[in-house]
């Protein structure tokens, strides 16, 4: 679902084995999680992945999964090495912004516009708040209007424009609990 719906990032280009390993780490990490919504047949139709600290999650991924992820995705990682380095450095560049982050929020097109994405995002924000995170950041492609509208509807405010990979403009938004 990530690869099919998030096309402005480079993670999908690292292949399904890499994404599977990354999301497995998110689920196994004590500092990260994923909320999912399924339909009446048990098929996942939306998910939201979040981390209390994206830097800590990346370090945990590199230490616990880096070798296996590197072996299964080596040619793709080599081709995307500048983006990999930018991604690993990114948490250190956010300065005084919240450490907690929404990593991805994806809705199947079949249920788009039905509020499913909002529900998994709200559930994720509630869980982050329960874990002591009073503010959260998210990065979305500046041209990804559906994602930006979702985040703004759920209380995120635009903070600044950034360029992470290949000079692709992204919007950094911040949410604070009330």
């Amino acid at each position: 679902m990530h690869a099919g719906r998030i096309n402005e990032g480079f993670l999908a280009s690292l292949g399904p084995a890499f994404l599977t390993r990354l999301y497995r780490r998110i689920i196994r990490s004590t500092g990260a999680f994923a909320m999912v919504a399924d339909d009446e047949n048990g098929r996942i139709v939306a998910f939201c992945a979040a981390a209390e600290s994206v830097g800590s999650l990346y370090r945990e991924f590199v230490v616990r999964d880096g070798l296996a992820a590197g072996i299964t995705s080596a040619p793709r990682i080599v081709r995307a090495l500048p983006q990999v380095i930018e991604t690993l450095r990114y948490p250190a560049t956010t300065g005084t912004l919240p450490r907690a982050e929404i990593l991805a929020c994806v809705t199947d097109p079949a249920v788009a516009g039905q509020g499913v994405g909002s529900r998994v995002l709200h559930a994720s924000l509630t869980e982050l708040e329960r874990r002591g995170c009073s503010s959260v950041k998210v990065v979305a492609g500046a041209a990804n209007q559906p994602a930006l509208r979702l985040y703004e509807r759920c209380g995120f405010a635009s903070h600044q424009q950034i360029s992470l990979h290949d000079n692709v403009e992204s919007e950094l938004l911040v949410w604070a609990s009330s």
Side-chain angles (χ1 to χ4, degrees):
M1 208 150 116
H2 177 118
R5 297 288 288 163
I6 302 177
N7 55 18
E8 65 268 358
F10 85 98
L11 283 177
S13 73
L14 298 179
F18 184 91
L19 283 173
T20 299
R21 188 165 295 282
L22 175 62
Y23 279 103
R24 190 174 293 137
R25 177 54 47 208
I26 289 167
I27 292 166
R28 289 179 176 166
S29 175
T30 59
F33 59 89
M35 296 288 183
V36 299
D38 59 359
D39 64 12
E40 62 278 351
N41 299 317
R43 187 178 67 91
I44 294 175
V45 295
F47 77 88
C48 183
E52 295 171 39
S53 165
V54 72
S56 295
L57 175 65
Y58 287 171
R59 282 188 294 282
E60 185 179 345
F61 179 76
V62 168
V63 168
R64 295 181 182 238
D65 304 285
L67 182 60
I71 289 169
T72 60
S73 302
R76 293 174 174 174
I77 289 173
V78 169
R79 282 192 300 271
L81 197 54
Q83 291 91 348
V84 170
I85 292 168
E86 287 171 347
T87 299
L88 292 173
R89 284 186 185 159
Y90 156 74
T93 67
T94 59
T96 60
L97 291 169
R99 290 180 52 200
E101 183 162 348
I102 298 297
L103 303 168
C105 189
V106 179
T107 303
D108 187 298
V111 298
Q114 297 177 22
V116 181
S118 294
R119 285 194 295 276
V120 293
L121 180 55
H122 278 298
S124 297
L125 293 171
T126 299
E127 177 60 18
L128 284 166
E129 218 174 358
R130 187 191 71 73
R131 293 175 179 221
C133 302
S134 60
S135 58
V136 179
K137 67 182 174 290
V138 66
V139 176
N144 189 342
Q145 290 303 309
L148 294 173
R149 283 193 302 271
L150 167 69
Y151 294 126
E152 289 169 356
R153 274 194 317 272
C154 291
F156 282 82
S158 180
H159 182 74
Q160 70 187 66
Q161 282 209 331
I162 61 173
S163 179
L164 285 178
H165 308 299
D166 300 326
N167 298 318
V168 174
E169 291 298 315
S170 294
E171 193 72 31
L172 194 148
L173 301 101
V174 176
W175 172 88
S177 64
S178 41

XYZ file of all heavy atoms in Angstrom, residues 42-102:
455
model
N -11.701 -7.981 6.226
C -10.413 -8.043 6.911
C -9.248 -7.490 6.104
O -8.108 -7.585 6.519
N -9.542 -6.891 4.951
C -8.491 -6.312 4.109
C -8.131 -4.927 4.642
O -9.011 -4.106 4.888
C -8.991 -6.211 2.671
C -7.947 -5.795 1.657
C -8.536 -5.778 0.247
N -9.535 -4.733 0.103
C -9.269 -3.488 -0.305
N -8.045 -3.148 -0.624
N -10.236 -2.601 -0.412
N -6.845 -4.662 4.825
C -6.409 -3.361 5.319
C -6.697 -2.307 4.250
O -6.283 -2.442 3.099
C -4.924 -3.378 5.706
C -4.709 -4.301 6.911
C -4.418 -1.965 6.011
C -3.273 -4.504 7.308
N -7.409 -1.251 4.646
C -7.774 -0.191 3.710
C -7.138 1.147 4.069
O -7.228 2.097 3.293
C -9.307 -0.046 3.595
C -9.918 -1.304 2.971
C -9.947 0.276 4.937
N -6.484 1.217 5.221
C -5.770 2.436 5.613
C -4.811 2.084 6.737
O -5.053 1.151 7.499
C -6.733 3.526 6.070
N -3.721 2.839 6.806
C -2.814 2.691 7.934
C -2.110 4.003 8.197
O -2.008 4.869 7.333
C -1.798 1.561 7.712
C -0.665 1.910 6.784
C 0.490 2.498 7.259
C -0.758 1.634 5.432
C 1.537 2.810 6.398
C 0.275 1.942 4.564
C 1.425 2.536 5.053
N -1.634 4.128 9.422
C -0.838 5.278 9.821
C 0.301 4.743 10.675
O 0.077 4.037 11.652
C -1.681 6.269 10.616
S -0.779 7.774 11.074
N 1.529 5.050 10.280
C 2.713 4.642 11.037
C 3.290 5.875 11.712
O 3.330 6.959 11.114
C 3.745 4.011 10.109
N 3.727 5.719 12.954
C 4.236 6.852 13.724
C 5.381 6.404 14.618
O 5.500 5.221 14.954
C 3.115 7.449 14.568
N 6.205 7.365 14.997
C 7.320 7.095 15.910
C 7.423 8.217 16.932
O 7.222 9.388 16.595
C 8.632 6.984 15.140
N 7.738 7.845 18.164
C 7.975 8.845 19.204
C 9.206 9.677 18.862
O 9.262 10.859 19.176
C 8.176 8.166 20.555
C 6.955 7.442 21.058
C 7.258 6.601 22.280
O 8.041 7.051 23.154
O 6.729 5.479 22.363
N 10.190 9.038 18.241
C 11.407 9.713 17.790
C 11.859 9.021 16.519
O 12.279 7.865 16.554
C 12.511 9.626 18.846
O 13.765 9.965 18.280
N 11.781 9.725 15.405
C 12.158 9.112 14.135
C 13.657 8.799 14.114
O 14.078 7.788 13.559
C 11.691 9.972 12.939
C 12.489 11.232 12.798
C 11.717 9.177 11.660
N 14.461 9.629 14.755
C 15.899 9.353 14.829
C 16.183 8.053 15.562
O 16.994 7.244 15.113
N 15.505 7.842 16.679
C 15.683 6.597 17.430
C 15.216 5.401 16.621
O 15.857 4.349 16.629
C 14.915 6.659 18.752
O 15.450 7.662 19.587
N 14.111 5.552 15.909
C 13.614 4.459 15.074
C 14.620 4.124 13.980
O 14.916 2.952 13.740
C 12.264 4.813 14.451
C 11.726 3.779 13.457
C 11.403 2.456 14.153
C 10.518 4.324 12.725
N 15.167 5.132 13.313
C 16.145 4.884 12.254
C 17.387 4.184 12.805
O 17.909 3.261 12.192
C 16.549 6.184 11.564
C 15.496 6.771 10.660
C 15.657 8.039 10.127
C 14.323 6.079 10.333
C 14.705 8.599 9.291
C 13.364 6.630 9.509
C 13.562 7.894 8.980
O 12.623 8.440 8.155
N 17.858 4.622 13.974
C 19.028 3.954 14.581
C 18.709 2.494 14.891
O 19.504 1.599 14.615
C 19.473 4.693 15.842
C 20.272 5.954 15.558
C 20.872 6.556 16.816
N 19.883 7.050 17.755
C 19.227 8.197 17.636
N 19.441 8.971 16.595
N 18.352 8.571 18.540
N 17.542 2.240 15.451
C 17.123 0.875 15.767
C 17.035 0.039 14.490
O 17.478 -1.114 14.456
C 15.768 0.914 16.481
C 15.278 -0.425 16.955
C 13.946 -0.326 17.689
O 13.519 0.781 18.083
O 13.319 -1.386 17.847
N 16.484 0.613 13.435
C 16.373 -0.103 12.163
C 17.751 -0.451 11.621
O 17.993 -1.588 11.198
C 15.589 0.737 11.146
C 15.456 0.068 9.801
C 14.566 -0.976 9.612
C 16.226 0.486 8.735
C 14.449 -1.592 8.369
C 16.117 -0.120 7.490
C 15.229 -1.168 7.314
N 18.663 0.502 11.632
C 20.015 0.259 11.103
C 20.707 -0.832 11.911
O 21.299 -1.764 11.347
C 20.849 1.556 11.074
C 22.317 1.269 10.817
C 20.306 2.514 10.020
N 20.624 -0.757 13.232
C 21.304 -1.736 14.092
C 20.688 -3.128 13.961
O 21.394 -4.113 13.815
C 21.280 -1.265 15.565
C 21.702 -2.380 16.520
C 22.170 -0.038 15.733
N 19.372 -3.213 13.992
C 18.710 -4.516 14.022
C 18.401 -5.096 12.641
O 18.288 -6.303 12.501
C 17.433 -4.429 14.842
C 17.721 -4.119 16.296
C 16.440 -4.060 17.071
N 16.704 -3.710 18.441
C 16.356 -4.460 19.472
N 15.738 -5.598 19.279
N 16.632 -4.073 20.689
N 18.216 -4.223 11.652
C 17.762 -4.693 10.350
C 18.650 -4.247 9.196
O 18.409 -4.634 8.057
C 16.335 -4.183 10.080
C 15.365 -4.592 11.158
O 14.980 -5.776 11.173
O 14.995 -3.740 11.985
N 19.623 -3.413 9.483
C 20.424 -2.810 8.425
C 21.111 -3.808 7.518
O 21.069 -3.673 6.289
N 21.749 -4.811 8.091
C 22.475 -5.787 7.285
C 21.523 -6.556 6.369
O 21.746 -6.632 5.155
C 23.258 -6.756 8.175
C 24.095 -7.795 7.435
C 25.139 -7.113 6.552
C 24.758 -8.737 8.426
N 20.457 -7.089 6.941
C 19.501 -7.852 6.128
C 18.835 -6.964 5.077
O 18.679 -7.368 3.923
C 18.443 -8.500 7.022
N 18.448 -5.745 5.474
C 17.823 -4.828 4.507
C 18.812 -4.454 3.418
O 18.449 -4.365 2.242
C 17.317 -3.575 5.220
N 20.055 -4.254 3.815
C 21.097 -3.906 2.841
C 21.351 -5.019 1.844
O 21.517 -4.767 0.644
N 21.357 -6.256 2.316
C 21.603 -7.396 1.421
C 20.447 -7.566 0.441
O 20.662 -7.738 -0.753
C 21.836 -8.682 2.244
C 23.198 -8.592 2.953
C 21.766 -9.918 1.354
C 23.421 -9.677 3.983
N 19.212 -7.509 0.934
C 18.062 -7.751 0.054
C 17.815 -6.608 -0.919
O 17.215 -6.818 -1.971
C 16.775 -8.003 0.858
O 16.501 -6.857 1.668
C 16.886 -9.240 1.715
N 18.282 -5.417 -0.584
C 18.001 -4.256 -1.434
C 19.266 -3.554 -1.901
O 19.211 -2.393 -2.306
C 17.125 -3.266 -0.663
O 15.931 -3.867 -0.247
N 20.406 -4.246 -1.869
C 21.703 -3.613 -2.149
C 21.749 -2.792 -3.432
O 22.148 -1.622 -3.396
C 22.817 -4.659 -2.132
N 21.375 -3.334 -4.589
C 21.485 -2.521 -5.809
C 20.636 -1.252 -5.740
O 21.061 -0.187 -6.184
C 20.982 -3.443 -6.922
C 21.073 -4.824 -6.362
C 20.905 -4.686 -4.881
N 19.454 -1.366 -5.162
C 18.568 -0.206 -5.069
C 19.112 0.818 -4.078
O 19.003 2.020 -4.308
C 17.169 -0.653 -4.663
C 16.505 -1.471 -5.737
C 15.203 -2.022 -5.286
N 14.549 -2.681 -6.414
C 13.447 -3.348 -6.316
N 12.840 -3.455 -5.163
N 12.919 -3.920 -7.382
N 19.680 0.346 -2.976
C 20.254 1.256 -1.985
C 21.447 1.993 -2.576
O 21.602 3.196 -2.378
C 20.629 0.498 -0.695
C 19.345 0.081 0.043
C 21.519 1.340 0.205
C 19.561 -0.814 1.223
N 22.284 1.296 -3.327
C 23.450 1.935 -3.949
C 22.992 3.035 -4.903
O 23.537 4.139 -4.894
C 24.334 0.890 -4.667
C 25.393 1.563 -5.524
C 24.986 -0.023 -3.635
N 21.981 2.750 -5.708
C 21.469 3.765 -6.647
C 20.865 4.957 -5.917
O 20.880 6.071 -6.415
C 20.425 3.159 -7.583
C 21.013 2.349 -8.710
C 19.968 2.021 -9.777
N 18.836 1.252 -9.268
C 18.794 -0.081 -9.222
N 19.799 -0.802 -9.650
N 17.724 -0.694 -8.744
N 20.317 4.720 -4.743
C 19.639 5.782 -3.987
C 20.467 6.259 -2.801
O 19.930 6.883 -1.887
C 18.285 5.269 -3.507
N 21.766 5.996 -2.810
C 22.612 6.316 -1.654
C 22.479 7.763 -1.177
O 22.359 7.999 0.029
C 24.066 5.957 -1.934
C 24.958 5.866 -0.701
C 24.389 4.913 0.329
C 26.356 5.443 -1.101
N 22.479 8.764 -2.068
C 22.306 10.132 -1.561
C 20.993 10.315 -0.793
O 20.966 10.971 0.258
C 22.325 10.997 -2.825
C 23.054 10.180 -3.832
C 22.723 8.747 -3.514
N 19.903 9.715 -1.277
C 18.622 9.823 -0.587
C 18.632 9.060 0.736
O 18.032 9.502 1.715
C 17.475 9.308 -1.468
C 17.195 10.185 -2.654
C 17.986 9.768 -3.898
O 18.902 8.964 -3.834
N 17.634 10.341 -5.027
N 19.308 7.918 0.766
C 19.420 7.151 2.015
C 20.137 8.005 3.061
O 19.682 8.120 4.203
C 20.170 5.818 1.780
C 20.492 5.136 3.104
C 19.340 4.893 0.887
N 21.239 8.612 2.678
C 22.006 9.457 3.611
C 21.170 10.654 4.058
O 21.133 10.982 5.246
C 23.344 9.884 2.969
C 24.240 8.654 2.809
C 24.029 10.962 3.805
C 25.452 8.869 1.934
N 20.479 11.302 3.121
C 19.609 12.432 3.483
C 18.544 11.998 4.488
O 18.250 12.716 5.442
C 18.918 12.994 2.238
C 19.815 13.777 1.324
C 19.135 14.126 0.003
O 18.054 13.560 -0.317
O 19.686 14.964 -0.725
N 17.963 10.829 4.265
C 16.909 10.335 5.152
C 17.458 10.057 6.547
O 16.833 10.401 7.552
C 16.257 9.070 4.565
O 15.668 9.423 3.312
C 15.196 8.503 5.487
N 18.633 9.449 6.622
C 19.224 9.153 7.920
C 19.636 10.432 8.657
O 19.579 10.496 9.877
C 20.423 8.216 7.762
C 20.067 6.795 7.308
C 21.329 5.996 7.020
C 19.197 6.092 8.348
N 20.029 11.459 7.919
C 20.413 12.746 8.527
C 19.209 13.602 8.891
O 19.304 14.471 9.755
C 21.281 13.545 7.552
C 22.677 13.058 7.456
C 23.468 14.008 6.587
N 24.811 13.508 6.384
C 25.582 13.866 5.398
N 25.169 14.766 4.517
N 26.783 13.368 5.283
N 18.101 13.394 8.226
C 16.930 14.254 8.368
C 16.532 14.528 9.816
O 16.302 15.697 10.169
C 15.750 13.672 7.569
C 14.397 14.109 8.066
C 13.933 15.406 7.817
C 13.594 13.256 8.803
C 12.704 15.817 8.285
C 12.368 13.656 9.276
C 11.926 14.924 9.023
O 10.714 15.338 9.496
N 16.436 13.538 10.707
C 15.984 13.857 12.069
C 16.852 14.923 12.751
O 16.341 15.742 13.513
C 16.072 12.518 12.811
C 15.956 11.496 11.741
C 16.643 12.101 10.541
N 18.134 14.933 12.457
C 19.028 15.901 13.096
C 18.837 17.311 12.543
O 19.300 18.280 13.145
C 20.482 15.465 12.920
N 18.156 17.442 11.412
C 17.980 18.755 10.790
C 16.706 19.456 11.222
O 16.452 20.568 10.783
C 17.971 18.635 9.251
O 16.799 17.910 8.856
C 19.217 17.948 8.732
N 15.904 18.811 12.063
C 14.616 19.399 12.413
C 14.680 20.257 13.670
O 13.648 20.752 14.127
C 13.539 18.307 12.553
O 13.930 17.379 13.550
C 13.290 17.604 11.227
N 15.863 20.444 14.226
C 16.077 21.397 15.311
C 15.108 21.289 16.451
O 15.017 20.275 17.117
N 14.360 22.367 16.663
C 13.455 22.450 17.810
C 12.070 21.879 17.516
O 11.180 21.982 18.357
C 13.296 23.920 18.249
O 12.765 24.667 17.155
C 14.626 24.504 18.688
N 11.897 21.292 16.358
C 10.604 20.684 16.028
C 10.377 19.437 16.871
O 11.319 18.867 17.423
C 10.562 20.336 14.541
C 10.517 21.537 13.608
C 10.748 21.101 12.167
C 9.190 22.264 13.739
N 9.138 18.985 16.952
C 8.856 17.781 17.753
C 9.663 16.577 17.268
O 9.939 16.434 16.078
C 7.362 17.535 17.499
C 6.814 18.810 16.976
C 7.939 19.520 16.308
N 10.035 15.716 18.219
C 10.731 14.471 17.860
C 9.761 13.465 17.277
O 10.118 12.679 16.411
C 11.411 13.886 19.103
C 12.596 14.714 19.567
C 13.262 14.125 20.789
N 13.571 12.711 20.563
C 13.795 11.844 21.519
N 13.773 12.218 22.772
N 14.059 10.588 21.247
N 8.529 13.465 17.784
C 7.516 12.508 17.313
C 7.122 12.862 15.880
O 7.073 14.041 15.507
C 6.296 12.549 18.220
N 6.847 11.809 15.101
C 6.527 12.047 13.696
C 5.552 11.015 13.162
O 5.639 9.835 13.492
C 7.807 12.012 12.863
C 7.582 12.317 11.404
C 8.852 12.705 10.664
O 9.888 12.966 11.293
O 8.789 12.746 9.422
N 4.649 11.489 12.317
C 3.822 10.595 11.517
C 4.696 10.216 10.327
O 5.125 11.081 9.563
C 2.523 11.278 11.049
C 1.657 11.699 12.244
C 1.757 10.372 10.084
C 1.166 10.562 13.120
